[in-house]
Amino acid sequence: MSDQNIFDKETFELLSSLKDDGIIAYPLKYFPTHKAKEVLEDFEGFNEKTVSIAGRIVTKRLHGKAGFANLLSDGEKIQIYFRKDNLDEDTFHLIKKRINVGDIIGIQGEVFKTHTGEITVSVKKCELLSKALAPLPEKFHGIENVEVRYRQRYLDLIMNAEVRKAFKIRSAIIRSVRETLNEEGYMEVETPTLQDIYGGALARPFSTHHNALGQDFFLRIAPELYLKRLIIGGFEKIFEIGKAYRNEGISVNHNPEFTLMELYEAYGNFETMMDISERLISDIRDKVVKSDTIEYRGNTIDLTTPFRRISLADAFKEYANIDINDLKDETFAKEYLKKENIRIDKKFSWSNAVDEILKKKVEPNLINPTFLYEYPLPLSPLAKKVSPESEWVERFQLVIGTLEVGNAFTELNDPVDQQERFAGQSKAKEAGDEEAHAYDRSYIEAMKFGLPPTGGLGFGIDRIVMIMTGSDSIRDVLLFPQMRRRD
C-alpha cells in the first residue's frame, strides 16, 4: 500500500459504523474541568465531587454490566468506573462496545475510593473525543523495541511513565538554567542558526543553499561569534539556549542536532565561568534532582560544591602517566599512542594527540564534577593565552560522570592575534582538517571596535539531562533523535 493511502478497508468500515450509530468520531470541542493529577493529589478536596476529565484509555476491564478503565490524563493515570445502572443506554453501549483501548474520551463523574483504596471516578457521562485507528502495543509496561521507541516517540510516551518523567526532568533542568541566569542578571538573546560563515567551535557543519540570495549557508555549530558581537555592542551579560548542529558521527554521547546553552560576561574570565558553572549545577541539584548524589552508568556522582579543579598537565601526569609536553616529540607521541592502542583519525599533531589521550585516558577517570583547565592553543583558537608567549590558553572543560558537559574560555579579545589564529586554522583546513575553524573576516571587523575582557561558557544541555536522569544514551533524552530513513 502506498504512503498516500495508509488506511485499509476495515478503517473506513469502522468510521462508517460509528456514523451510522450517531457517534461523532472527532467532535469539535471538549473542555475538561480538571486533570487527573489534581484529583489524585487532593482526594479529600475532591471526594464525592463531580469532575470532568479527558484522556486516553490505556486499559479496559469489563465485568458484565460494569467495568473499570484507566485513563491517561496529562501523563497521570486515573481509574474510572462505569456501571449500567448509572448511565443511559446509549452511553453504556458507547463505553462497552464502541470505545476501545487507545481512544481519547471525556468523562464526567463523581470521585470516590474503591474498597482497595484506589481513587476512582464513577462515570455519569462519557463522550468519544478521538477514535484511535491503530492499536496500542499490547503490553502497557513499555515498548521493548528501541527502534519503535525512537521512531514513534508518541507511543513511547503513552506506554512508558519513566520516559515521560525523564522529559519532564529535562524541561525542569532548562527552566532551572534560565532561572539561575536571570537571577544572576544575564539577558536572554537569540542569534542566527543559519549562518553564512560557521564558527565558534572546531567541527564540520551542515550546509544548505539560500535560493533568494543565491549563496550557500551553514547550520550553526555554535552561537559564539554572534554572542560576542553583542558583547562588543554593549550588552555585558547575555545567554542563549538553542539548537546547534555538527555534521559528525552518532553515538550514545553524540547527536548531530543538540541543545546548547552559551553565556558571555564582560569583565569575566574562565575562573568566573567556573563559579557560574557551579551555581548552575548546584541549582539543578537543589531544584530538580533534590539530592547531593546521583547514580550514573554504575558510578555514584557527588554533586556537592566546590568542584575539583586540576590543570590538564597535572591530569595527564595522574591518569596518563606522562608529561604532556613530551607529546611534542612526534616519535615519542606515536609510540605512546601505539602502546595504549589510541588512534588519531585526523592529521597527527601535538594538540590532536593531547585531545585523543584526554578522551581515552583522562576523562574516563573523572566521575565527580571536575574542571580541567589550561589547554593547548591549537585546540582553542578563540581563547586567550595564559601569557603572551605561551602555547597554553585559559580554557576549561567541566567533566561529570566521564562526559564533557561544559566548555569555557577567557575570550581572546586581541583582533590581530585572532586574525593570525584564523589564518592558521585556514592553513589547517587547506591541509585537509575538515574541523578547522573558518576564517571570519566580519568577526575580526567587529573586534576592531573593542571586545572587553570577557568570559564565555557553553553547556551541553542534553548531556546534563543524561546524567541527571541516569540515561545511558543521548537518544533517551531527545524527543526525536536523528534516525536513518527507513526507505
Side-chain angles (χ1 to χ4, degrees), residues 250-273:
I250 296 175
S251 75
V252 293
N253 297 330
H254 299 85
N255 195 70
E257 177 184 3
F258 59 98
T259 301
L260 185 67
M261 184 285 296
E262 283 202 12
L263 66 84
Y264 291 85
E265 179 178 348
Y267 314 110
N269 68 358
F270 82 125
E271 290 177 323
T272 59
M273 295 300 98

Side-chain angles (χ1 to χ4, degrees), residues 54-67:
R56 186 185 302 275
I57 294 180
V58 289
T59 64
K60 181 182 173 184
R61 309 177 299 282
L62 296 174
H63 305 285
K65 297 182 179 180

